[in-house]
Amino acid sequence: MNKIDGKLFADMIVQGSDSLSNNADFVDSLNVFPVPDGDTGTNMNLSMSSGAAEVKSHSNAHIGEVGKIFSKGLLMGARGNSGVILSQLFRGFSKSIENEQEIDAQQFAKAFQSGVNTAYKAVMKPVEGTILTVARVAGEAAVKAAESTEDVITVMEAVIEEGQKALENTPNQLPVLKEVGVVDSGGQGLMFVYEGFLATLKGEKIQPAKEKVDTDEFINDDHDFGGVMNTEDIVYGYCTEIMVRFGKDKKAFDEEQFREDMSQFGDSLLVISDDEIAKVHVHSETPGEVLSYGSQYGELIKIKIENMREQHREVLRKSADKKIKQEQQQEQEAIDTAVITISMGDGITTLFKSLGATHVISGGQTMNPSTEDIVKVVKQSGCKNAIILPNNKNIIMAAEQVEHLVDIPVAVVASKTVSQGLSAMLNLNLEQSIEENKAQMEDAMRFVKSGSVTYAVRDTNIDGITIKKGEFMGIHESSIKVSDADHITASKKLIDEMIDEDSEILTIIKGEDATDEEVDQLVSYVEENYDEVEVEVHQGDQPIYSFLFSVE
């Protein structure tokens, strides 16, 4: 095969995305830190899926146009450092081929190398033994192979072969990987994408992961009532949802017959199923009959019935309120400077707003917001300038891409933790320029130490500390300092690590799973052992991390 056109490249992208999606959990398992957060596989998968979705919706035979569409979709969906680096690899790749209708083996190889160059430039301090290394070695292999072949499949095979060798060598370049006994998770994720590319070129198919039935909320609580209508005009008044777990001794399930029978009870019928469960949504006047029919097939494990007439009345009330608010907002001038922060708890959100944040995006460790999430907030704010505080080291790179996607000045204050973000907000002065604020706020962050307490999701040994699954870990900045089976003991040990003779204030931010009694124990411990240190306590409501500490 000597050429790749837009259609073939689009198929490569889709299969690369499927390959990564099928193995996202495995990539997550390679993360060095045993912290229960949004991991590399999750972030790369969401990023790649965003790019693939754009390609699917814009068919084009021109490979340069497909590359542009893919690059934009990937960048907008980029989450976490791994997702941003992936977006930069394919940004450079796509830039290299943007004017081409189709590409040959040499252009294909050159595109890989261009992607590597772009990604290395995007990372302030590139570290070898990571996804960057795997991409670089694979790109070099592509260029070398293209010197002696015109077959794009041969070039892609060289990318896979040498990339895999580079991946297997990452533990020799990063001691922490060797200590834990894994290869680099980002590099592994990239190899899964490349494997999807090769399968497409060979005419093979990677089976996408089977979509599981979603056991969370089936639909949004708000219904589309079709514009202006009278409440009394609603024919079927009850939104009825059930989930049936099939029983061995119950009626055999046939989805087509089941759907036909259910249709007699109302309209807006939706039925989805797998081998174990069926989920039903229907608007009906007789919800009891829906339940009775469903129970013939098995146990009803979820039931939700809502009065849509009452919902419609509430919609009308909300619509009237919304119209009033919109009119009030239109009377106000657009804000000059938007201060946008990332928060992972209602209490932390309240803290940031009290310090002057104009917009707060929900996210953090459990789910890194994408570049597009941040861009939307900037654009919707109507601001003339924007200051962004990521408050998580894995969100900084995604935030830094925003300035390339909006037409206003943007300053990213590179806060790696909530504690740093709060300290920076105390030094916000909207009478100054965003550049002056950035310098002043980042300078303030140097004087705060950040700590957190969470639980381990796997056994590991890191930095000389043996950690067992379920134990509580004390993390100072980005290093695990203590691990203990007892929650409070681990917290006290971490406090001891963080406080020194220059410390004046310890701030405790209480997570959603922490109790007031536990907070009182920690406060008493500090008062007894560090009588010159003042203690402040705030309700953070953050998940995953029972306590966040900052020492100043």
Side-chain angles (χ1 to χ4, degrees), residues 66-302:
V66 173
K68 288 179 183 178
I69 293 166
F70 177 47
S71 177
K72 183 65 178 294
L74 191 54
L75 177 60
M76 295 299 282
R79 298 174 188 269
N81 293 343
S82 55
V84 174
I85 292 174
L86 187 68
S87 77
Q88 296 305 299
L89 284 170
F90 286 110
R91 180 185 179 190
F93 185 106
S94 300
K95 186 71 176 175
S96 175
I97 62 173
E98 64 180 350
N99 297 319
E100 305 300 329
Q101 179 75 29
E102 58 183 13
I103 59 174
D104 58 22
Q106 287 71 33
Q107 291 168 315
F108 189 36
K110 181 182 176 182
F112 279 110
Q113 192 62 55
S114 178
V116 171
N117 294 339
T118 300
Y120 266 87
K121 289 176 183 177
V123 179
M124 187 172 296
K125 296 180 180 179
V127 176
E128 296 302 325
T130 65
I131 182 176
L132 290 172
T133 303
V134 175
R136 176 176 55 76
V137 173
E140 291 169 352
V143 172
K144 184 176 181 180
E147 292 174 354
S148 57
T149 183
E150 295 181 355
D151 181 14
V152 294
I153 294 178
T154 301
V155 171
M156 195 69 232
E157 287 175 335
V159 167
I160 296 288
E161 181 179 353
E162 295 304 317
Q164 187 62 37
K165 290 179 182 178
L167 176 65
E168 293 170 0
N169 190 49
T170 55
N172 296 322
Q173 296 172 293
L174 279 180
V176 68
L177 296 178
K178 178 172 284 189
E179 188 175 2
V180 179
V182 296
V183 296
D184 177 68
S185 55
Q188 179 65 83
L190 180 63
M191 290 307 299
F192 284 131
V193 173
Y194 285 168
E195 286 170 10
F197 283 9
L198 179 60
T200 306
L201 292 174
K202 288 184 172 182
E204 301 170 353
K205 289 291 184 182
I206 289 179
Q207 294 299 319
K210 184 177 179 181
E211 187 173 347
K212 296 180 180 179
V213 173
D214 180 14
T215 56
D216 295 327
E217 288 299 319
F218 194 46
I219 60 168
N220 190 283
D221 287 338
D222 293 329
H223 293 88
D224 181 2
F225 291 103
V228 179
M229 64 181 295
N230 295 320
T231 302
E232 293 72 22
D233 292 337
I234 298 176
V235 178
Y236 298 105
Y238 297 93
C239 174
T240 306
E241 297 175 17
I242 63 172
M243 186 186 298
V244 184
R245 180 187 290 126
F246 304 138
K248 293 182 179 179
D249 301 326
K250 294 287 187 174
K251 186 176 180 179
F253 180 77
D254 178 273
E255 184 172 313
E256 186 175 344
Q257 185 63 51
F258 184 88
R259 185 178 288 106
E260 182 179 337
D261 292 343
M262 273 288 178
S263 66
Q264 66 183 303
F265 300 126
D267 63 7
S268 299
L269 175 65
L270 181 62
V271 177
I272 60 174
S273 66
D274 63 8
D275 296 336
E276 301 177 353
I277 291 173
K279 294 188 70 175
V280 181
H281 167 272
V282 63
H283 293 173
S284 175
E285 272 297 284
T286 55
E289 293 181 1
V290 176
L291 271 60
S292 296
Y293 179 77
S295 65
Q296 297 178 45
Y297 293 87
E299 181 182 1
L300 301 183
I301 57 175
K302 183 176 180 182

Side-chain angles (χ1 to χ4, degrees), residues 413-528:
V413 178
S415 51
K416 296 180 180 180
T417 65
V418 169
S419 299
Q420 287 186 353
L422 292 171
S423 178
M425 287 298 298
L426 288 169
N427 290 270
L428 174 69
N429 182 355
L430 292 179
E431 294 182 0
Q432 296 179 332
S433 68
I434 61 171
E435 293 79 13
E436 289 171 325
N437 268 298
K438 174 180 170 67
Q440 189 168 288
M441 295 168 82
E442 290 188 340
D443 184 62
M445 295 189 311
R446 296 189 299 109
F447 300 99
V448 62
K449 301 177 185 177
S450 303
S452 57
V453 176
T454 187
Y455 57 93
V457 294
R458 64 180 74 93
D459 293 345
T460 190
N461 189 294
I462 188 169
D463 294 334
I465 300 175
T466 299
I467 301 166
K468 299 295 183 183
K469 180 179 178 180
E471 285 189 346
F472 295 96
M473 302 175 295
I475 304 171
H476 182 199
E477 305 301 350
S478 58
S479 299
I480 299 174
K481 294 296 185 181
V482 299
S483 180
D484 199 283
D486 180 69
H487 192 195
I488 297 302
T489 301
S491 299
K492 291 177 179 178
K493 288 180 178 179
L494 179 60
I495 289 173
D496 290 338
E497 285 279 344
M498 296 179 65
I499 292 180
D500 58 29
E501 60 183 13
D502 297 322
S503 301
E504 298 178 358
I505 301 173
L506 168 68
T507 301
I508 302 174
I509 300 178
K510 178 182 168 221
E512 62 181 6
D513 295 328
T515 66
D516 291 337
E517 290 75 17
E518 290 172 332
V519 173
D520 291 340
Q521 290 182 54
L522 295 181
V523 172
S524 297
Y525 177 77
V526 175
E527 290 176 344
E528 292 170 4

